[in-house]
Amino acid sequence: MFADTAKIFIRSGDGGNGHVSFRRELYVPNGGPDGGDGGKGGDLIFEVDKGMNSLTPFRHKQKYSAENGFEGGGKRCHGRDGKDLVIKVPYGTVVRELESDKVIVDMSGDHLREVMLKGGKGGLGNMHFATPTMQAPKYAQPGKPGQELWVRLELKVIADVGLVGFPNVGKSTLISRSSNARPEIANYHFTTLSPHLGVVDRGYESFVMADIPGLIEGASEGAGLGHDFLRHIERCRVLVHVVDAAGTEGRDPISDIEKIHEELEKFNPELLKRPMVIAANKMDVWFDDGEENPAERIRKIYEPKGIKVFPISAATGEGVPELISYLFELLSGMEKEAVVYESEYDVESHRYDELPINIYKESAHVYVVEGDRVDKMLGYTNLESEKGFNFFQNYMKEQKIINRLKELGLSEGDTVRVSGMEFEYYD
């Protein structure tokens, strides 16, 4: 089955830890620290693969992680960087942050390769921490953690012309008659469950036409497969409303047009501002029984509103060349750039090292430090080791947490609770 949405978890690699070691060579009994730096974590990258046409691969695998950086070594050896992970997606895939549903990037237009999550920096080896008073530091810096995110992938078909309308009105027949697309065609509702793209050629000119699966009433509210289908219409520059003008199933074509217009407006009011054409289809099975020609009836109502009406028969080809010629004319006067969604969510601004730390005085001699940023730091710090505890103390100083606690009145002997763990403070 065609898949045009997917939910996946992505993660860049952690930076490698810095290394603790000391130079030990013949005739150099007291060599200094020579622990190397950790390698950078791998980036997580999205890249367009124009050979892909659905998000089906993401239905079978949900978690994607780049490689972690490697720990530094002795003799000032730098740890190896983690390998980047490149995730291939179809052209037109919109990547959204899952919780907020905000657009991170639209993989179309110029956005063919995007570094989504940057790998964590490698930690510094102990060779960086030697000072005149601490010539043999026994600690190194842990690598920075990678970034992680749940995202929703949403494929929106990119086409110049989108065919819309109720099921079984002849959209598949029209696109097969007009272009190089060869969709399955049968007289069943919802025969088309995925959009079909076809290229319509005329000499040196061409445009892409999309057969959008049939809509139903309530589609804008999610009825049937409404949202899955409607999202594809947002990319199209021109909409062609295909309607069963002959009423072969007993439906009124005017009523059908109005209902589809209502669904488009409810889903996205901007869609009705796009150029629209009505293809009054199945005129080959209309018999003149004295009643008004249905195509003329449609024309009297909609052409005064600026919507051109073409009586056609997709089955026989009658009227189709005139419709296609008009579409070429219409598109020639429009900008060729497809709709590209602007970014609404900046991944970098949501890094853990940019998150706030909450610091407050709980009682006379108890102070609290908490927040996701601190939780993350403690998650990769082993406080049972000398190296880990020294890093923890340096972190509290570097982040100016100690200074802020002192401003609140912290003094020797007071208790500091950091993410649930209690410490006694000594200056």
Side-chain angles (χ1 to χ4, degrees), residues 16 176 218 234 299 306 398:
S176 66
E234 293 183 291
R299 182 174 280 149
E398 290 171 2

Side-chain angles (χ1 to χ4, degrees), residues 26-213:
L26 190 63
Y27 308 119
V28 189
N30 298 310
D34 69 351
D37 301 341
K40 174 184 171 296
D43 294 336
L44 191 133
I45 301 167
F46 275 57
E47 185 175 85
V48 167
D49 180 350
K50 293 191 176 180
M52 292 178 67
N53 56 16
S54 83
L55 298 174
T56 301
F58 300 101
R59 294 171 56 143
H60 308 296
K61 183 179 178 182
Q62 197 175 43
K63 296 188 176 181
Y64 298 82
S65 299
E67 188 178 40
N68 294 332
F70 287 73
E71 183 176 344
K75 300 182 179 179
R76 299 177 175 253
C77 289
H78 195 289
R80 179 169 70 79
D81 291 346
K83 293 180 181 177
D84 297 337
L85 177 64
V86 179
I87 299 177
K88 299 293 183 73
V89 295
Y91 187 68
T93 300
V94 178
V95 184
R96 296 177 180 271
E97 195 274 326
L98 185 64
E99 188 174 344
S100 67
D101 204 39
K102 291 183 177 179
V103 175
I104 300 173
V105 66
D106 182 351
M107 300 298 292
S108 59
D110 296 329
H111 302 286
L112 303 181
R113 182 181 172 91
E114 293 288 323
V115 177
M116 195 68 55
L117 302 178
K118 293 181 180 178
K121 292 181 180 179
L124 299 176
N126 71 330
M127 63 180 180
H128 293 278
F129 299 101
T131 66
T133 56
M134 172 65 76
Q135 296 184 10
K138 295 180 181 178
Y139 60 88
Q141 189 181 46
K144 292 282 186 180
Q147 298 172 283
E148 56 186 45
L149 203 62
W150 277 96
V151 298
R152 182 164 67 87
L153 308 181
E154 183 179 89
L155 178 59
K156 294 175 183 281
V157 167
I158 296 180
D160 299 297
V161 175
L163 305 182
V164 300
F166 275 89
N168 200 34
V169 294
K171 296 186 302 298
S172 296
T173 305
L174 178 57
I175 195 173
S176 66
R177 166 83 53 186
S178 310
S179 72
N180 58 3
R182 293 295 176 266
E184 292 182 13
I185 299 171
N187 190 29
Y188 303 111
H189 288 183
F190 287 101
T191 299
T192 304
L193 287 179
S194 61
H196 292 289
L197 295 178
V199 178
V200 182
D201 291 309
R202 185 179 71 174
Y204 293 103
E205 297 179 291
S206 67
F207 66 80
V208 177
M209 179 183 284
D211 166 19
I212 308 298

Side-chain angles (χ1 to χ4, degrees), residues 171-342:
K171 296 186 302 298
S172 296
T173 305
L174 178 57
I175 195 173
S176 66
R177 166 83 53 186
S178 310
S179 72
N180 58 3
R182 293 295 176 266
E184 292 182 13
I185 299 171
N187 190 29
Y188 303 111
H189 288 183
F190 287 101
T191 299
T192 304
L193 287 179
S194 61
H196 292 289
L197 295 178
V199 178
V200 182
D201 291 309
R202 185 179 71 174
Y204 293 103
E205 297 179 291
S206 67
F207 66 80
V208 177
M209 179 183 284
D211 166 19
I212 308 298
L215 300 178
I216 61 174
E217 290 177 69
S220 59
E221 297 168 2
L225 297 176
H227 284 167
D228 292 342
F229 297 162
L230 280 163
R231 69 168 50 93
H232 296 298
I233 300 172
E234 293 183 291
R235 296 283 200 186
C236 302
R237 294 194 289 155
V238 175
L239 301 180
V240 175
H241 190 145
V242 184
V243 62
D244 178 1
T248 59
E249 296 187 349
R251 303 178 64 94
D252 175 32
I254 302 296
S255 175
D256 281 1
I257 294 171
E258 289 303 310
K259 286 173 182 175
I260 293 298
H261 281 195
E262 287 174 12
E263 295 302 326
L264 296 178
E265 184 174 28
K266 288 177 184 176
F267 183 72
N268 182 352
E270 293 296 315
L271 292 176
L272 293 187
K273 297 179 183 179
R274 306 257 172 98
M276 182 174 287
V277 177
I278 294 176
N281 193 27
K282 302 192 179 183
M283 291 302 294
D284 56 308
V285 296
W286 174 74
F287 297 98
D288 187 354
D289 56 1
E291 293 187 5
E292 184 180 13
N293 183 309
E296 288 302 318
R297 178 170 161 241
I298 296 170
R299 182 174 280 149
K300 286 178 182 178
I301 296 173
Y302 291 100
E303 289 203 343
K305 299 178 181 180
I307 301 176
K308 190 78 172 171
V309 178
F310 288 87
I312 68 166
S313 168
T316 66
E318 183 182 356
V320 173
E322 289 79 6
L323 170 64
I324 297 303
S325 178
Y326 179 75
L327 292 174
F328 270 109
E329 181 184 334
L330 196 59
L331 289 166
S332 66
M334 300 174 62
E335 293 184 8
K336 291 190 176 182
E337 292 185 8
V339 176
V340 177
Y341 294 86
E342 295 293 328

Side-chain angles (χ1 to χ4, degrees), residues 138-139 381-392:
K138 295 180 181 178
Y139 60 88
T381 304
N382 179 12
L383 298 180
E384 299 297 322
S385 69
E386 179 186 4
K387 179 175 75 171
F389 195 77
N390 283 333
F391 170 77
F392 167 69

Side-chain angles (χ1 to χ4, degrees), residues 367 369 374 377-378 392 396 416-423:
Y367 297 81
V369 179
V374 178
M377 178 274 295
L378 289 174
F392 167 69
M396 297 287 282
V416 178
R417 187 182 304 125
V418 182
S419 293
M421 293 187 286
E422 293 190 349
F423 304 88

